[in-house]
Structure formats: C-alpha cells, structure tokens
Amino acid sequence: MTRKQASSTRRGGLSGVLHSKSKSSPLLSISLVLFVAILLILYACIGSGILGGRKDVISMAEDDFSCTFEVPSAIPVLKNAYGGSMKNVLHVGPESCSVVSKFLREGETEAWGVEPYDLDDADRNCKALVQKGIIRVADIKFPLPYRVKSFSHVIVSDALDYLSPKYINKTLPELARVSSDGIIIFTGYPGQPRAKIAPLSKFGRPAKMRSSSWWKQLFTETSLEENEAAVKKFEQTASKMSYKPTCQIFHLNSYH
C-alpha cells in the first residue's frame, strides 16, 4: 500500500514537472523574442545617432561633400566681404531652413529661402519658417515667386548642379532678376562626390559637377558678369579668417 502511494507520488511528480516545463516553454520563447527585439531597437538607435553613436560621423561626411553645409561656415566671410550691402538675402537650395536660421540668429541680415525639394522630414523650426512664409517650396525651373530686386543678394547652393543647361539658362536670369546687388553660387568641383540630399525622383537627374570654365562660359551666355571686386575682397577676407572653401564659389553682379 505504501509502495503504491510512493509510486503514485513519483508519477505525479514527474507529470507535474513535465506540465511545468510545458507552461514555461511559451514564456521562455516570449522572453527571448522580447530580448532580441530590444537588442535590435538599441542597434537601430545607435546606428541612426539617437543615442550618440554615429550621428556626428554622418554629419561630418555630409559637410565634406555638400556645398549647402558649407554655406553657414561662409556666412561670416560673406558678411565681412560685402559689408553693409548684404541687407536681405534669399537662399536657394536644399537645407534652406538651416541657412536661413543661421542668418536670423545673428540678427543683422534679413533672410528668406526657397527649398527646391519636398520637406517631408522637416523639423518643427523648419515647419514654422514655412508657415510664416519665410521658406517656400518651389520648383526653380520656373519663375521665382518674388518681385524684381526683392533681395540684396541671392545665395544658391546644391540646386543648379541638378539642372540641365536648358533650365540653368532660365534659372540664372531669375536669380539675377530678384536680386539687386549680387548672386553668390556655391557649386562642386568636377569629380567631387556629393551628399545624398534627396531621392533622385525629386530632382529628376543626378548632380553634374562642372568646371570653372564651363560656368564662366554660361555666365557670358546669360549676360551675367563676375563681380571682380567682391571676388578679391572675399578671397582676402577668407585668408584673414582662415576659411578654405571646399566648393567653387562664384560672385556675380545682378542685372542693372
């Protein structure tokens, strides 16, 4: 009788253990899945720079190969070179919110911007500038939405490089039309790789880096003259301020 009870106890014990394992198995699987998911989320955050990670590295790479990222660094040099004539500026190009915000923070020069591409991932500050009408999204292959000589200077970067000569011949006169004292063009050197500013579908063609002689020929064809005095003063100021541009910078007179 005792043996039967003992035997029954052992069978019950074994059955209980097996039952316990069957219960814990789904919990273990769920725990493993959650653990792997957490690891993947952490990896994604580090990779995208949310947790510090590689964000600075990515920004530095873009700074090296995008002329728009160079414009904020050139602003102090431009303001010193052009003096008080740089009263109100229009920036034309991607990341226009960043360039315009740089001008507005300093408070000495009024600034507006034209963004040639959709602002799908704009931050809160950029959206506020768009709502105020300071930044406009516009296709620069068509007439700009501004009156004649609305701005003292127009700065254009990472925009003309994506246009064919047919459209550049139309856009350059537009830049001259809305400016009164000059146009400043930031463009890459031939063979220089460029940062991926927007999907190809947004501007229709890859960037094309042109030589200095190509641009000068275009300026002649569109009746635009280089501002030699501004070029000289900019180079002198850049030397004093230890600024070394990584892009070609052209200084043009507006139409008179």
Side-chain angles (χ1 to χ4, degrees):
M1 191 74 181
T2 305
R3 285 182 182 177
K4 286 185 179 179
Q5 288 177 348
S7 176
S8 175
T9 303
R10 283 197 298 270
R11 285 197 300 270
L14 180 59
S15 163
V17 170
L18 290 174
H19 186 63
S20 175
K21 284 187 176 180
S22 67
K23 278 188 174 181
S24 64
S25 181
L27 292 175
L28 181 61
S29 299
I30 293 171
S31 300
L32 287 173
V33 170
L34 289 174
F35 179 72
V36 171
I38 291 170
L39 287 178
L40 290 174
I41 292 170
L42 289 173
Y43 180 80
C45 289
I46 292 171
S48 63
I50 295 174
L51 299 180
R54 295 166 51 198
K55 185 176 181 181
D56 293 337
V57 176
I58 294 171
S59 296
M60 288 173 62
E62 289 178 340
D63 287 348
D64 288 340
F65 304 119
S66 172
C67 291
T68 292
F69 285 104
E70 184 170 333
V71 175
S73 301
I75 287 175
V77 184
L78 289 170
K79 292 173 75 172
N80 274 277
Y82 282 90
S85 68
M86 190 168 274
K87 299 175 182 178
N88 55 342
V89 172
L90 174 70
H91 174 259
V92 178
E95 301 296 332
S96 194
C97 288
S98 299
V99 176
V100 169
S101 294
K102 171 73 174 176
F103 274 111
L104 295 178
R105 279 196 300 269
E106 296 182 359
E108 299 173 357
T109 304
E110 296 180 359
W112 286 264
V114 170
E115 169 66 55
Y117 315 122
D118 293 336
L119 292 171
D120 297 330
D121 55 350
D123 58 23
R124 185 179 300 176
N125 176 62
C126 188
K127 289 178 179 178
L129 292 175
V130 173
Q131 290 174 354
K132 294 175 182 177
I134 296 174
I135 299 291
R136 293 188 180 186
V137 178
D139 190 336
I140 62 173
K141 295 192 295 291
F142 300 97
L144 296 174
Y146 301 104
R147 296 179 180 178
V148 175
K149 297 183 179 181
S150 294
F151 311 96
S152 62
H153 296 81
V154 171
I155 300 173
V156 58
S157 60
D158 289 324
L160 299 178
D161 300 326
Y162 293 96
L163 298 180
S164 65
K166 171 187 173 182
Y167 286 112
I168 294 179
N169 285 335
K170 294 180 180 180
T171 301
L172 268 179
E174 271 297 290
L175 301 179
R177 180 185 68 82
V178 301
S179 62
S180 60
D181 297 322
I183 308 156
I184 302 150
I185 298 174
F186 287 73
T187 184
Y189 289 98
Q192 182 181 27
R194 303 302 298 277
K196 293 182 180 180
I197 297 168
L200 184 61
S201 60
K202 289 189 177 180
F203 45 76
R205 56 184 287 130
K208 186 175 180 63
M209 304 295 99
R210 282 107 174 183
S211 66
S212 175
S213 59
W214 187 94
W215 282 107
K216 290 182 179 182
Q217 178 63 34
L218 181 67
F219 300 152
T220 300
E221 293 173 1
T222 51
S223 301
L224 286 168
E225 299 178 351
E226 286 196 81
N227 187 336
E228 295 181 0
V231 171
K232 185 176 181 180
K233 197 164 184 181
F234 180 84
E235 290 176 349
Q236 292 173 343
T237 305
S239 179
K240 290 179 182 177
M241 300 181 72
S242 300
Y243 169 70
K244 296 180 180 180
T246 58
C247 296
Q248 298 185 89
I249 303 177
F250 297 101
H251 304 262
L252 307 176
N253 289 317
S254 303
Y255 291 141
H256 297 294

